[in-house]
Amino acid sequence: MPRLLCFGDSNTYGTQPVPAFDANLPRIEHRWPVVCAQTLDWDLTEEGLPGRTTARPCPVMGPHMDGRIGLFIALESHGPIDALAIMLGTNDFKAHFDASADEIASDVGFLLDVALSEDVQERHGGFEPFLIAPPAPFEAGILADEFAGATQKARNIAALYAAEAEKRDVGFFDAGSVIRCSDVDGIHFDAAAHDVLGRAIADFIQSEIQRAIA
């Protein structure tokens, strides 16, 4: 079966909305990559790391949170793959990074360039990268201070991501068109949202593949 690699952060990993700092909640079982792969009837490789950014070493969680490092490792340690779904950018809106939406979108463009590079494509025998804009985060609950300013900064993130995808003729999907982040913490998705998103992305990937071969 074709293999899908999902590369992202805690919302790809399946972290539940966090109501308190001492909450010890189980990982969502039917997270969106699992639902997506099951809907497509594809094999799945999951690369979701809580705290991962597009291109920023984290002074709190460590330098390995830099998505540029993670993507190179993922593409060299897995494969061959037939499709890559990238959904990153939420953590870049943390206040201590002081990153603009334009900067974050540009960093996502670099990740697409990595995926489209000749060496990487040859290693996997060719694959389709897809860019997914995460739902815009907002200040809520215990993470409100950590993401101070995110509501305003993230307003146009989907349009900026779409532009980066269009520059490279890469399929684009706006997750915010079908779900929103939980009111519990303004960052994560609940189980129902994961189910909706997984099915929507599966439909999107299927339609993109059909369009490519038409």
Side-chain angles (χ1 to χ4, degrees):
M1 291 188 291
R3 177 167 293 275
L4 171 66
L5 170 60
C6 293
F7 184 77
D9 52 28
S10 58
N11 282 323
T12 296
Y13 175 82
T15 299
Q16 294 197 43
V18 182
F21 285 119
D22 59 352
N24 186 21
L25 303 173
R27 184 182 188 187
I28 291 175
E29 182 177 359
H30 295 289
R31 50 201 172 269
W32 76 260
V34 174
V35 173
C36 179
Q38 289 177 344
T39 303
L40 290 168
D41 195 22
W42 285 20
D43 288 329
L44 172 65
T45 297
E46 295 182 85
E47 279 287 348
L49 176 65
R52 179 178 278 149
T53 68
T54 59
R56 289 167 180 80
C58 182
V60 178
M61 301 182 73
H64 59 293
M65 292 299 146
D66 186 332
R68 296 171 296 184
I69 298 172
L71 185 59
F72 277 111
I73 294 172
L75 290 172
E76 290 193 18
S77 60
H78 300 295
I81 63 171
D82 299 280
L84 166 68
I86 298 175
M87 187 172 72
L88 274 179
T90 299
N91 289 305
D92 298 76
F93 285 105
K94 290 179 178 178
H96 66 249
F97 287 126
D98 194 27
S100 69
D102 291 286
E103 291 170 333
I104 296 168
S106 177
D107 294 332
V108 165
F110 175 82
L111 298 180
L112 292 177
D113 289 338
V114 170
L116 292 167
S117 66
E118 185 175 349
D119 288 349
V120 169
Q121 286 288 318
E122 286 184 355
R123 184 183 187 282
H124 292 271
F127 66 88
E128 291 292 329
F130 300 111
L131 179 60
I132 304 166
F138 53 90
E139 298 101 318
I142 63 168
L143 300 180
D145 289 342
E146 189 171 1
F147 284 85
T151 303
Q152 179 67 21
K153 286 184 177 181
R155 286 187 308 166
N156 299 321
I157 194 63
L160 294 170
Y161 274 39
E164 294 295 327
E166 185 176 6
K167 289 177 188 176
R168 298 162 176 85
D169 194 26
V170 167
F172 168 77
F173 183 79
D174 176 15
S177 67
V178 293
I179 65 167
R180 67 190 298 271
C181 296
S182 170
D183 289 332
V184 172
D185 63 10
I187 304 302
H188 298 110
F189 316 153
D190 61 23
H194 272 275
D195 185 72
V196 169
L197 182 60
R199 295 177 189 279
I201 292 176
D203 289 344
F204 158 72
I205 290 176
Q206 193 64 58
S207 65
E208 287 292 306
I209 291 173
Q210 292 298 323
R211 181 177 66 86
I213 64 178

